[in-house]
């Protein structure tokens, strides 16, 4: 067994691990939604008039009638207590991107000194956590503490299980005393409403009279890494920064492409099965699980659902992935790039728009050239991506996601749209005067008689595109694995509202002036593809040629978070978010401030951890080995045996490089930049990251030459391949 004592102990612990034997005899069908106070449970427990009122809000977006709150609260309390809950929590989603909750007991003292379970409609509707201790970007001062949570009836309450007792969790918004959004959910609900209003205008023009509330749907593919917890606790960088700040590439990484969709390791599969069951209880249908490209990397993908609910479920999914991993002696890593040299993790957000009556509005059918309604909504996406690519890039900006975007493993930092051969051909025809046909699906000829005929789609897929059409929806591939999907969906909903507003206004004006509706549709489609077709790119987004071509098309290439977050100050972005009442100028500015601060803090934490690990862990190991070599060299010379002094010189040089990088990093950390948050963020990017890269380069080179029994940190070879 190789490695120093800490590494040897970690490797041995992994080898000694045994998968726990658990009772999973309860059928999945009985598990689904078991812990959710959803429509079925409400219908069984609420008076009919109360249920109809609440259900109208959930399904049709009708205003919530506060007079029903007492009846709902009473039924919800009884259900929760029957399911072992002693406390309730208003769950909200602050600008940390994480989930927040404050637990309160159902029990309150009565006049006879006994206690009774109380939970009123007033308590259900509104809570009051401390509003000063969460990021707010200047909206609230430290001494201004009041903040409110408000019940979001469209996202069902659920039971959070714990071995020692359960908690009723109630999804809420989180706003300040002045009514401004301090969370991720409030602008998502606002954007959903704005998009629905404008989509209904377009549908009305197409002759629909039974227009139900239009919603955006989302399905986020969650990528993550798993490593044994013994390795995690032996890596201070993973614990503090979420990624390895040091680590030489293993002899075998992902170059054989043998991990992707490979047989799932037994321990990981056991973990996945329990994750699925936990999610099923919360009404989250995890549809897909598989190995991802990098060793130690995996993916889980749920089914589509309304984007507000998808957001809440995504937050719950991330919590579940981490919590269940602990039960199997593993740690789930959601950082976008925990290991250098292998693929990072994204969260591809698939989205569409539609409703129960009109269906999926992004479904082209078999003959998209004849589906004018689809073409109009697709054109709205094209216009949105072209005009507001900067916003789409800004909402996925973070220190961790910077490692993925543009790194030939994820979409480029340039936001473009992929339509595929069939749709591109249709829009080309429209631009030239009118579409008369669509490329048809073909049949694959495999050459094996026993196989059934296989359909070939009329267009391929493009994994290098950040915004790709995939058959009946678009896939936004730029969000990072640790990020909330609220930002992406807020942006998509809002810019789609703007595009549909533009289209509806144009069509209404044309028809009012006597233009035939079909001619008006042809005209607006041709105008959009002509004016905004620069955002459409079906080629290789990883190529250097695309970088140059994108610049010639006027598309932004925002490589780092400070560059991207400047977009929140762009007048067009400020205007569109304010116009549709999604984020006021003040709310948007506060978010820019919060996200800049998070970037600065992330880089500073990594820089300080790099300096500490470099000086206290890696440098001593290298110096110890250098001392051993020097002693050996002296002994060999004393007996006149040949000695290769180049080895000693090379290692001495690496130690010198390490010390030089650490000195430069210490100096950068000691220098406090002056100016506003944007200047601080730019300074962190330009002065801290370069010496961190130098320190890492020297340290990783040393890992390849220092004696294995002296190397102090678990290696990539161990962490990525031993589960």
């Amino acid at each position: 067994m190789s490695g120093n004592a800490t590494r040897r102990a970690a490797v041995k612990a992994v080898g000694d691990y045994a998968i726990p034997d658990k009772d999973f005899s309860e059928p999945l069908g009985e598990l689904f939604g078991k812990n959710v106070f959803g429509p079925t449970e409400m219908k069984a427990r609420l008076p009919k008039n109360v249920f109809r009122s609440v259900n109208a809000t959930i399904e049709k977006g009708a205003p919530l009638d506060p007079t029903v709150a007492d009846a709902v609260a009473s039924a919800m309390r009884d259900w929760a207590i029957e399911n072992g809950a002693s406390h309730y929590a208003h769950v909200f989603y602050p600008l940390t991107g994480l989930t927040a909750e404050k637990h309160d007991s159902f029990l309150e003292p009565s006049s006879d000194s006994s206690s009774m379970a109380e939970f009123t409609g007033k308590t259900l509707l509104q809570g009051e956590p401390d509003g000063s201790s969460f990021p707010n970007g200047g909206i609230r001062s430290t001494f201004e503490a009041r903040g409110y949570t408000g019940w979001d009836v469209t996202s069902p309450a659920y039971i959070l299980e714990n071995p020692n007792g359960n908690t009723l969790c109630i999804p809420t918004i989180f706003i300040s005393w002045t009514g401004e959004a301090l969370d991720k959910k409030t602008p998502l609900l606002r954007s959903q409403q704005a998009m629905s209003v404008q989509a209904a205008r377009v549908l009305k023009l197409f002759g629909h009279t039974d227009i139900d509330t239009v919603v955006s749907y989302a399905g986020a593919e969650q990528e993550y890494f798993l490593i044994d917890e013994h390795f995690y606790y032996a890596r201070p960088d993973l614990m503090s920064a979420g990624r390895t700040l040091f680590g030489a590439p293993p002899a075998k990484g992902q170059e054989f492409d043998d991990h992707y969709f490979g047989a799932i390791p037994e321990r990981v599969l056991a973990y996945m099965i329990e994750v699925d069951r936990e999610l099923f209880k919360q009404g989250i249908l995890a549809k897909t699980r598989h190995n991802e490209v990098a060793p130690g990397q995996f993916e889980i993908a749920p089914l589509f659902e309304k984007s507000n609910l998808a957001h809440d479920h995504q937050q719950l999914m991330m919590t579940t992935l981490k919590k269940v991993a602990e039960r199997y002696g593993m740690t789930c890593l959601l950082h976008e790039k925990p290991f250098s040299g292998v693929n990072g993790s994204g969260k591809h957000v698939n989205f569409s728009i539609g409703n129960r009556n009109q269906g999926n509005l992004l479904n082209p059918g078999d003959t998209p050239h004849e589906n004018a309604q689809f073409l109009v909504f697709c054109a709205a996406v094209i216009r949105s991506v072209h005009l507001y690519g900067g916003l789409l890039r800004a909402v996925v900006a973070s220190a961790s996601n910077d490692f993925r975007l543009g790194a030939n493993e994820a979409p480029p930092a340039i936001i473009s749209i992929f339509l595929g051969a069939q749709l591109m051909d249709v829009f080309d025809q429209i631009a030239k005067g009118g579409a008369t046909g669509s490329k048809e699906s073909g049949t694959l000829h495999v050459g094996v008689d026993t196989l059934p005929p296989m359909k070939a789609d009329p267009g391929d897929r493009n994994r290098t595109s950040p915004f790709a059409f995939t058959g009946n929806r678009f896939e936004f591939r730029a969000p990072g694995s640790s990020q909330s999907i609220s930002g992406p969906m807020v942006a998509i909903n809002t810019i789609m509202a703007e595009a549909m507003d533009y289209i509806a206004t144009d069509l209404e004006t044309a028809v009012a002036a006597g233009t035939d509706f079909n001619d008006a549709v042809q005209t607006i489609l041709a105008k959009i593809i002509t004016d905004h077709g620069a955002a459409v790119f079906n080629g290789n987004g990883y190529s250097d040629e695309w970088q140059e071509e994108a610049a010639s098309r006027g598309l932004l290439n925002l490589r780092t978070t400070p560059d991207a977050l400047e977009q929140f100050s762009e007048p067009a972005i400020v205007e569109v978010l304010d116009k549709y009442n999604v984020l006021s100028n003040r709310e948007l500015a506060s978010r820019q401030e919060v996200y800049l601060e998070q970037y600065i803090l992330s880089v500073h934490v990594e820089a300080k951890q790099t300096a500490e690990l470099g000086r206290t862990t890696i440098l001593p190991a290298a110096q110890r080995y250098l001392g051993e070599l020097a002693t050996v060299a002296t002994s060999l010379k004393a007996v006149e045996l040949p000695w290769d002094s180049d080895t000693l010189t090379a290692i001495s040089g690496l130690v010198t490089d390490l010390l030089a990088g650490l000195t430069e990093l210490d100096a950068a950390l000691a220098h406090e930049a002056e100016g506003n948050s944007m200047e601080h963020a730019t300074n962190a990017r330009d002065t801290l990251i370069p010496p961190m890269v130098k320190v890492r380069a020297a340290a990783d080179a040393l890992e390849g030459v220092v004696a294995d029994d002296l190397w102090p940190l678990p290696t990539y070879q161990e962490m990525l391949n031993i589960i």
Side-chain angles (χ1 to χ4, degrees):
M1 183 181 296
S2 62
N4 69 2
T6 301
R7 286 172 53 211
R8 287 199 302 271
V11 172
K12 184 177 185 305
V14 179
D16 292 342
Y17 180 82
I19 298 173
D21 184 15
K22 302 203 173 185
D23 180 12
F24 288 157
S25 58
E26 189 172 5
L28 287 179
E30 296 178 14
L31 276 181
F32 191 76
K34 174 182 177 180
N35 287 350
V36 180
F37 192 70
T40 300
E41 197 67 44
M42 285 193 289
K43 186 174 183 180
R45 291 176 177 266
L46 294 174
K48 290 183 179 179
N49 63 317
V50 172
F51 174 72
R52 282 196 298 268
S53 176
V54 173
N55 200 50
T57 300
I58 296 172
E59 296 296 335
K60 298 182 178 296
L64 176 65
D65 180 1
T67 63
V68 305
D70 277 331
V72 176
S74 177
M76 190 183 293
R77 176 203 61 203
D78 292 345
W79 171 79
I81 291 175
E82 289 171 16
N83 283 275
S86 59
H87 288 66
Y88 64 90
H90 282 177
V91 176
F92 55 101
Y93 309 93
L95 297 182
T96 58
L98 304 174
T99 301
E101 56 195 48
K102 177 172 72 75
H103 296 201
D104 289 300
S105 174
F106 281 119
L107 298 179
E108 294 186 7
S110 63
S111 57
D112 61 357
S113 298
S114 62
S115 61
M116 56 188 298
E118 289 291 338
F119 185 63
T120 65
K122 180 181 178 181
T123 304
L124 171 63
L125 289 173
Q126 185 172 324
E128 187 179 340
D130 187 340
S132 67
S133 298
F134 294 96
N136 61 68
I139 282 183
R140 304 289 284 156
S141 300
T142 302
F143 63 88
E144 296 173 317
R146 196 179 296 279
Y148 300 119
T149 57
W151 177 36
D152 175 19
V153 67
T154 65
S155 184
Y158 59 91
I159 294 292
L160 184 66
E161 292 183 330
N162 184 278
N164 293 331
N166 298 337
T167 303
L168 171 66
C169 294
I170 305 158
T172 66
I173 63 166
F174 179 44
I175 57 174
S176 73
W177 179 71
T178 53
E180 292 165 302
L182 297 176
D183 66 338
K184 298 278 190 177
K185 179 183 278 281
T186 302
L188 179 55
L189 294 172
R190 292 172 179 170
S191 68
Q192 184 87 285
Q193 181 171 297
M195 186 273 296
S196 181
V197 170
Q198 302 306 326
R201 289 176 62 198
V202 175
L203 289 173
K204 183 178 179 181
L205 286 163
F206 276 94
H208 296 284
T209 56
D210 57 341
I211 302 171
D212 200 1
T213 302
V214 179
V215 298
S216 58
Y217 294 90
E221 303 168 17
Q222 177 73 61
E223 296 174 344
Y224 59 95
F225 279 84
L226 291 172
I227 65 169
D228 187 274
E229 65 181 9
H230 294 89
F231 295 141
Y232 175 78
Y233 291 120
R235 295 282 314 212
D237 48 356
L238 279 177
M239 288 193 288
S240 64
R243 75 179 181 101
T244 52
L245 300 172
F246 302 100
K252 177 181 178 295
Q254 65 185 52
E255 59 271 16
F256 284 92
D257 298 322
D258 55 348
H259 190 260
Y260 192 48
F261 280 26
I264 301 172
E266 185 177 18
R267 181 181 182 185
V268 174
L269 183 57
Y271 157 79
M272 288 178 167
I273 290 170
E274 184 160 357
V275 165
D276 282 350
R277 295 180 72 87
E278 290 295 323
L279 294 177
F280 286 177
K281 292 179 187 178
Q282 304 297 353
I284 304 172
L285 186 55
K287 178 69 174 175
T288 303
R289 62 192 186 204
H290 62 81
N291 289 2
E292 253 300 331
V293 172
Q297 186 185 35
F298 308 93
E299 180 178 300
I300 182 172
L303 286 182
F304 260 51
E305 52 191 349
K306 294 178 182 177
S307 58
N308 173 47
L309 189 55
H311 162 265
D312 293 3
H313 281 171
Q314 262 292 310
Q315 296 296 114
L316 190 55
M317 177 182 286
M318 289 192 288
T319 300
T320 302
L321 286 169
K322 296 180 78 69
K323 179 175 66 176
V324 175
E326 295 174 1
R327 301 175 191 170
Y328 288 82
M330 296 185 293
T331 297
C332 176
L333 303 175
L334 296 176
H335 191 285
E336 280 69 17
K337 191 74 170 181
F339 301 101
S340 178
V342 298
N343 273 18
S345 297
K347 182 179 289 176
H348 304 164
V349 178
N350 296 273
F351 97 95
S352 64
I353 55 176
N355 58 23
R356 289 185 301 179
N357 292 345
Q358 280 72 46
N360 179 4
L361 301 177
L362 290 176
N363 187 352
D366 294 330
T367 54
H369 70 285
E370 297 176 335
N371 192 341
Q373 181 177 287
F374 160 75
L375 291 172
V376 163
F377 281 98
C378 186
V381 178
I382 296 171
R383 173 186 166 89
S384 299
V385 173
H386 184 233
L387 287 181
Y388 300 103
L391 176 60
L392 291 169
R393 173 65 181 91
V395 295
V396 298
S398 71
S400 53
N401 211 20
D402 280 358
F403 289 100
R404 291 177 59 249
L405 299 183
N408 283 13
E409 65 186 56
I414 305 163
I415 302 296
S416 64
I417 186 170
F418 168 81
L419 292 180
Q422 184 188 53
L423 283 186
M424 194 66 253
D425 176 64
V426 170
F427 275 104
D428 281 343
Q429 293 179 57
I430 290 171
K432 294 173 182 176
T436 59
S438 302
K439 292 184 177 181
E440 297 182 0
S441 301
T443 301
L444 293 172
H445 300 285
V446 183
V448 179
D449 293 341
T450 57
L451 293 177
M454 299 178 69
K455 178 182 176 182
D457 289 308
D460 204 348
R461 303 182 75 174
N462 189 327
R463 68 181 302 273
T464 72
S465 174
F467 215 94
F469 186 70
T470 59
N472 60 2
R473 62 188 183 275
F474 282 88
E475 181 182 19
F476 188 25
R477 296 175 56 88
S481 57
S482 68
Q483 294 178 325
S484 161
I485 68 168
S486 168
M489 291 311 303
V490 166
I492 290 169
N493 286 340
T494 305
I495 62 182
M496 282 293 288
E498 188 280 336
M500 289 184 286
D501 186 358
Y502 167 80
I503 291 171
T505 300
D506 185 278
L507 292 176
E508 289 165 352
T509 302
V511 171
T515 303
D516 177 77
F517 178 68
N518 290 328
D519 291 340
V521 168
Q522 162 64 28
T523 300
I524 191 66
L525 290 177
K527 179 174 176 54
I528 287 176
I529 196 61
T530 301
D531 293 349
H532 305 291
V536 179
F537 178 64
N538 286 352
N540 181 8
Y542 291 167
S543 68
D544 293 336
E545 291 78 11
W546 169 232
Q547 308 279 322
E548 298 173 6
E549 183 180 340
S552 70
R553 295 186 184 195
L555 302 182
L556 298 172
N557 189 358
L558 306 171
R559 297 177 184 276
T560 67
T561 292
D563 297 328
L565 290 180
E566 282 191 309
Q567 292 296 305
F568 282 154
S569 300
E570 285 295 314
I573 289 174
V574 173
E575 180 183 351
V576 74
L577 290 166
D578 185 57
K579 177 181 179 180
Y580 296 98
N581 300 314
V582 175
L583 288 170
S584 68
N585 296 354
R586 180 173 151 92
E587 288 172 323
L588 180 59
S590 76
R591 275 163 163 71
Q592 183 185 48
E593 185 74 15
V594 168
Y595 300 150
L596 284 169
E597 182 182 20
Q598 289 173 345
Y599 176 83
I600 295 164
L601 291 173
S602 295
V603 175
H604 271 262
V605 166
E606 291 186 355
K608 288 186 287 186
Q609 186 67 77
T610 297
E612 180 183 331
L613 264 179
R615 287 197 180 280
T616 65
T617 304
I618 293 171
L619 182 60
Q623 290 174 328
R624 197 170 294 124
Y625 184 55
L626 196 58
E628 288 185 5
L629 286 180
T631 300
V632 171
T634 302
S635 300
L636 291 175
K637 287 178 182 178
V639 296
E640 298 183 353
L641 290 175
W643 169 251
D644 180 9
S645 61
D646 290 346
T647 301
L648 196 60
T649 302
I651 296 175
S652 297
L654 290 173
V655 171
T656 300
D657 292 344
L658 179 64
L659 281 167
L662 287 169
T663 300
E664 187 178 336
L665 182 56
D666 289 340
L669 281 168
H671 175 69
E672 181 63 31
E674 296 181 356
N676 58 31
S677 294
M678 183 61 72
E679 290 167 339
H680 276 260
T682 303
N683 179 73
R685 178 193 66 193
D686 295 342
T687 66
L688 288 177
I689 293 178
M692 287 170 60
V693 172
K694 289 182 181 179
V695 171
R696 174 165 194 158
D700 290 356
L702 282 167
E703 183 181 334
V705 293
V706 169
D708 188 67
D709 64 320
L710 292 178
W711 195 254
L713 300 174
T715 66
Y716 276 22
Q717 186 72 39
E718 293 159 344
M719 290 186 290
L720 290 173
N721 294 292
I722 304 177
I723 293 183

